[in-house]
């Protein structure tokens, strides 16, 4: 469990908070490119780390991300006119470019130089792999850190897919739910007899043994775990996954060495999260989304939600074919349980077990990194080391005599082809 003080450090992300300051050291996935589909298209409202921002794309194709409130008298720039390389506030016509500079102030006399003295808060943006990334830190324009080398974000056009979900609870709560591999055998499983499953499949090994053993390591990029179960007499089935600073999750949903994937739990604010998933191949097709609206939380909401109890089917649950009875696969099942804890769970009430090792180690490391940044300016892992993000996760069968970390060194490397590697069944 955590003290209330540590829980606050872990969960709060607004400007000036320890974790908020830590996250602002990194580039953050902020907007999908297709949300701003063309020059001078309508702007979008973006909540990010508790800040209300407006994203827009100008005639040249460049993207701006500026504060919602016009610095004149606070009117929302969302209603602005997107025209000629800038966004013009409709209240008095003040116009701002993507750097935040005021480039026109028609409400002032022609001889006035007042516009040269006014700026709006603006964050640097870069676009890569269908994502507009924002840097909210303090480094000067042009001196930002590099984008992380996330393999799925650097694929040739057309080889990858992206999907997003807005989740009405805290970012860490959702990250913990993602990285807790033990729950997969319960929350995402069934009560089926393992002997009815395909022998040698991942599902078979998980169903036969719902209590894996763990090895957890601190790594240069964050934390990693190997969770293992008996496979055959001389092998183990390993599920290997990574936490990468500051909010990434690489989970074992594919075969280690073949699976190109990353997921991020980006805080919109303390109580809302935007999940990002980018993968080589098509995105998840089991979910249905509501049409995007224009409100702060109206992007990427799935049709299953707390108001309809995530469409739980009690008859399906009673049958044992689905442990939860919640359709749509892992995403709505995860969201149902993490949302049920409340927006921010009081972790001082927890009772953690041996299978919570990764959660415990990651919390400690995140809190320590946030405090080290605040107290002595120590940069957290990966800020200036994009190569640390060249990782892969997944499932693998290993001889029992092989060390899981050393034995998977090549399989865990991103940007490596393994043409002869056969995918595991049902990973």
């Amino acid at each position: 469990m955590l003290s209330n003080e540590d829980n606050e450090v872990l969960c709060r992300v607004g400007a000036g908070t320890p974790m908020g300051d830590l996250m602002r050291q990194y580039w953050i996935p902020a907007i999908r490119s297709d949300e701003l589909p063309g020059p001078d298209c309508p702007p979008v409202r973006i909540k990010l780390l508790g800040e209300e921002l407006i994203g827009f794309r100008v005639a040249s194709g460049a993207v701006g991300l500026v504060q919602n409130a016009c610095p004149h008298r606070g009117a929302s720039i969302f209603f602005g006119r997107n025209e000629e390389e800038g966004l013009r506030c409709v209240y008095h016509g003040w116009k701002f470019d993507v750097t935040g500079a005021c480039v026109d102030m028609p409400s002032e006399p022609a001889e006035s130089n007042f516009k040269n003295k006014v700026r709006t808060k603006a964050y640097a943006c870069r676009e890569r792999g269908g994502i507009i990334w924002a840097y909210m830190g303090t480094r000067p324009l042009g001196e930002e850190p590099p984008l992380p080398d996330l393999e799925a974000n650097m694929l040739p056009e057309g080889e990858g897919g992206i999907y997003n979900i807005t989740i009405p609870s805290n970012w860490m709560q959702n990250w913990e739910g993602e990285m807790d591999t033990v729950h997969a055998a319960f929350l995402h499983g069934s009560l089926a007899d393992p002997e009815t499953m395909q022998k040698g499949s991942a599902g078979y090994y998980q169903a036969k043994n719902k209590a894996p053993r763990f090895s957890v390591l601190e790594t240069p990029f964050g934390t990693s775990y190997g969770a293992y179960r008996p496979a055959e007499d001389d092998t183990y089935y390993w599920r290997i996954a990574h936490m990468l600073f500051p909010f990434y999750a690489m989970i074992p949903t594919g075969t280690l060495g073949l699976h190109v994937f990353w997921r991020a739990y980006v805080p919109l604010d303390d109580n809302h999260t935007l999940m990002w998933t980018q993968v080589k191949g098509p995105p998840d097709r089991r979910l249905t989304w509501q049409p995007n609206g224009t409100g702060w939380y109206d992007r990427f909401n799935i049709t299953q939600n707390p108001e309809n109890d995530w469409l739980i089917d009690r008859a399906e649950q009673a049958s044992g074919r689905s442990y939860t009875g919640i359709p749509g696969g892992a995403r709505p099942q995860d969201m149902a349980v993490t949302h049920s804890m409340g927006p921010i769970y009081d972790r001082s009430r927890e009772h953690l077990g041996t299978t919570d090792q990764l959660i415990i180690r990651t919390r400690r490391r995140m809190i320590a990194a946030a405090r080290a940044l605040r107290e002595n300016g120590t940069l957290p892992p990966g800020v200036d080391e994009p190569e640390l993000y060249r990782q892969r996760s997944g499932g693998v069968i290993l001889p029992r005599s092989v060390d899981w970390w050393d034995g998977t060194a090549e399989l865990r490397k991103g940007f490596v082809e393994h043409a002869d590697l056969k995918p595991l069944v049902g990973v």
Side-chain angles (χ1 to χ4, degrees), residues 178-218:
E178 185 72 58
M179 292 295 292
D180 170 15
T181 191
V182 175
H183 83 269
F186 297 90
L187 187 69
H188 309 320
S190 70
L191 297 179
D193 182 348
E195 297 310 315
T196 66
M197 299 180 178
Q198 182 175 347
K199 300 293 192 297
S201 69
Y204 173 74
Y205 297 134
Q206 289 185 71
K208 283 193 69 175
N209 188 325
K210 295 181 183 294
R213 296 184 180 274
F214 272 77
S215 176
V216 178
L217 301 174
E218 293 190 4

Side-chain angles (χ1 to χ4, degrees), residues 8-335:
E8 289 289 297
V9 170
L10 189 66
C11 296
R12 303 292 181 183
V13 296
T17 63
M19 196 60 66
D21 288 349
L22 180 145
M23 290 188 178
R24 284 166 172 81
Q25 304 301 310
Y26 300 84
W27 284 96
I28 299 171
I31 310 170
R32 276 173 44 162
S33 294
D34 57 12
E35 292 185 86
L36 296 173
D40 294 335
C41 62
V44 294
R45 289 187 175 101
I46 301 295
K47 261 289 186 79
L48 202 57
L49 304 188
E51 299 187 33
E52 295 184 347
L53 306 168
I54 304 298
F56 63 104
R57 191 188 294 275
V58 296
S60 65
V63 173
L65 187 63
V66 299
Q67 68 182 36
N68 174 57
C70 176
H72 181 203
R73 284 166 55 190
S76 174
I77 204 78
F78 171 77
F79 299 105
R81 298 175 56 88
N82 192 355
E83 57 183 29
E84 299 175 348
E85 295 300 303
L87 195 59
R88 188 183 296 275
C89 180
V90 295
Y91 200 8
H92 296 91
W94 292 20
K95 181 179 173 181
F96 301 90
D97 68 12
V98 297
T99 72
C102 184
V103 294
D104 191 27
M105 195 176 282
S107 61
E108 289 293 306
E111 66 275 14
S112 172
N113 68 349
F114 187 41
K115 73 179 179 66
N116 299 326
K117 301 178 181 179
V118 176
R119 294 185 61 86
T120 193
K121 180 189 288 184
Y123 293 122
C125 294
R126 290 188 194 171
E127 196 163 6
R128 189 185 71 186
I131 295 174
I132 298 162
W133 300 76
Y135 176 70
M136 302 174 69
T138 58
R139 295 189 187 183
L141 186 65
E143 299 180 21
E144 304 90 355
L147 290 174
D149 286 357
L150 291 162
E151 186 177 6
N153 186 241
M154 302 169 72
L155 296 169
E157 187 173 355
E159 287 193 11
I162 303 174
Y163 71 95
N164 300 79
I165 304 175
T166 293
I167 308 174
S169 50
N170 183 260
W171 78 276
M172 190 62 183
Q173 210 153 292
N174 290 291
W175 179 89
E176 290 175 350
E178 185 72 58
M179 292 295 292
D180 170 15
T181 191
V182 175
H183 83 269
F186 297 90
L187 187 69
H188 309 320
S190 70
L191 297 179
D193 182 348
E195 297 310 315
T196 66
M197 299 180 178
Q198 182 175 347
K199 300 293 192 297
S201 69
Y204 173 74
Y205 297 134
Q206 289 185 71
K208 283 193 69 175
N209 188 325
K210 295 181 183 294
R213 296 184 180 274
F214 272 77
S215 176
V216 178
L217 301 174
E218 293 190 4
T219 64
F221 51 78
T223 50
S224 297
Y225 74 72
Y228 64 101
R229 296 170 166 90
E232 306 312 315
D233 290 342
D234 58 347
T235 60
Y236 288 123
Y237 166 56
W238 288 86
R239 289 169 59 84
I240 296 172
H242 316 295
M243 174 273 174
L244 303 96
F245 271 80
F247 39 50
Y248 295 103
M250 286 189 179
I251 60 172
T253 57
T255 301
L256 185 64
L258 300 179
H259 190 46
V260 178
F261 160 94
W262 61 270
R263 180 164 286 149
Y265 285 91
V266 176
L268 303 182
D269 56 23
D270 292 342
N271 298 333
H272 297 82
T273 305
L274 184 61
M275 187 198 80
W276 289 82
T277 302
Q278 194 163 36
V279 61
K280 185 175 183 178
D284 196 324
R285 303 294 187 192
R286 292 172 293 177
L287 302 173
T288 56
W289 278 262
Q290 303 173 21
N292 275 9
T294 59
W296 297 113
Y297 308 114
D298 288 348
R299 304 158 62 215
F300 308 113
N301 288 290
I302 62 173
T303 53
Q304 292 168 254
N305 55 57
E307 285 67 39
N308 58 31
D309 292 322
W310 311 96
L311 300 180
I312 187 171
D313 183 334
R314 292 294 187 181
E316 187 72 4
Q317 185 185 53
S319 74
R321 291 186 296 268
S322 166
Y323 202 84
T324 64
I326 296 173
R331 300 279 65 76
Q333 293 163 3
D334 283 342
M335 292 166 67

Side-chain angles (χ1 to χ4, degrees), residues 375-391:
E375 293 167 7
N376 52 42
T378 302
L379 281 180
V383 171
D384 290 310
E385 299 171 283
E387 68 280 359
L388 292 182
Y389 294 84
R390 294 175 166 243
Q391 307 295 329

Side-chain angles (χ1 to χ4, degrees), residues 408-425:
T408 60
E410 288 301 310
L411 295 177
R412 287 185 283 103
K413 290 180 180 178
F415 302 92
V416 176
E417 292 294 326
H418 297 283
D420 297 330
L421 185 62
K422 294 181 180 180
L424 293 176
V425 177

